[in-house]
Amino acid sequence: MSNFVTKRREPFRFMVWLGIASSVMFFTILLASYIIRRAGAGWTDVKLPNVFLISTVAILLSSLTLNNANHAFRHERFKSYRTNIASTLVLGTLFMLLQGWGWRQMILAGIGLSGNPAGGFVYVISGIHLIHILIGLVFLVIVLVEALRRRPYVDSFVYSVNPPNRLKLQLITLYWHFVDILWIGLFVFLIAHHGLAW
């Protein structure tokens, strides 16, 4: 019966991979547009706020805490699982706040969406990525709430051996690692073209 339930829910895995592939294609087109537009008139490179680097460290740490959560979940260390899921949620939220702070620094420096297209691309690229992060945070909140509702060991154990719940955590982890890797790629791309404002 459990194998049937797992197989029945495999379309969710396909949907996540389809979403990842669509995002990769979208950002590839966006970065190609960036390169083409950069060669045009009116382009002036802008330095990225150094807070973007700090946000990158936060998102990398969030992948580590999510890995720890998965390990704890598999080994029935449910208190550690809850702590690491909560830490991932906090670090993901911190990433968003730091990105917003970076935008504020850009605005204060006179870099807006209009005028110099270089600034506009930075806002668009990082903004669309933030939407991806927000989606991940919603699902992290869901699994954290479910974990907090099942504090007793027996409840947590029953939850952990349920194949749909295992699959849910696997898919959230897959998606979260993707958005982390995606940001690293975008950040490296932007740094290569803009540099950091120290």
Side-chain angles (χ1 to χ4, degrees):
M1 177 66 181
S2 63
N3 287 336
F4 172 74
V5 172
T6 303
K7 288 179 180 178
R8 189 177 63 186
R9 288 182 175 261
E10 279 304 301
F12 290 117
R13 189 183 300 275
F14 174 75
M15 287 169 60
V16 171
W17 277 111
L18 183 63
I20 288 173
S22 300
S23 293
V24 169
M25 289 179 59
F26 177 81
F27 277 101
T28 300
I29 293 169
L30 186 59
L31 295 183
S33 301
Y34 175 103
I35 292 170
I36 293 169
R37 182 63 186 86
R38 191 168 188 258
W43 184 283
T44 304
D45 286 338
V46 296
K47 296 289 185 184
L48 295 179
N50 57 15
V51 71
F52 276 29
L53 178 60
I54 303 171
S55 71
T56 302
V57 173
I59 205 71
L60 284 173
L61 288 175
S62 75
S63 271
L64 177 62
T65 56
L66 189 53
N67 271 339
N68 291 343
N70 275 271
H71 188 266
F73 189 77
R74 289 193 302 269
H75 291 84
E76 299 171 22
R77 298 198 309 272
F78 300 116
K79 183 178 179 181
S80 175
Y81 166 69
R82 291 190 294 268
T83 300
N84 279 285
I85 286 290
S87 298
T88 306
L89 183 60
V90 169
L91 287 165
T93 304
L94 179 61
F95 174 83
M96 293 192 70
L97 293 173
L98 289 170
Q99 294 271 297
W101 187 9
W103 285 0
R104 182 175 182 276
Q105 290 181 347
M106 290 176 64
I107 292 168
L108 291 175
I111 302 167
L113 273 170
S114 59
N116 181 7
F121 267 102
V122 172
Y123 286 115
V124 170
I125 290 170
S126 58
I128 295 174
H129 179 262
L130 278 180
I131 294 172
H132 286 69
I133 290 289
L134 184 59
I135 292 169
L137 290 177
V138 169
F139 286 104
L140 284 171
V141 167
I142 291 170
V143 295
L144 179 59
V145 169
E146 289 177 348
L148 292 174
R149 285 177 177 170
R150 294 168 176 84
R151 288 179 182 272
Y153 177 83
V154 173
D155 290 348
S156 296
F157 177 76
V158 170
Y159 179 84
S160 72
V161 296
N162 188 339
N165 294 331
R166 287 176 175 261
L167 180 62
K168 183 192 301 180
L169 184 58
Q170 290 171 7
L171 296 182
I172 291 171
T173 302
L174 171 63
Y175 178 80
W176 192 257
H177 287 336
F178 163 69
V179 294
D180 287 9
I181 293 169
L182 176 62
W183 173 250
I184 298 301
L186 294 172
F187 183 64
V188 169
F189 178 90
L190 292 172
I191 287 293
H193 291 88
H194 294 278
L196 281 173
W198 294 103

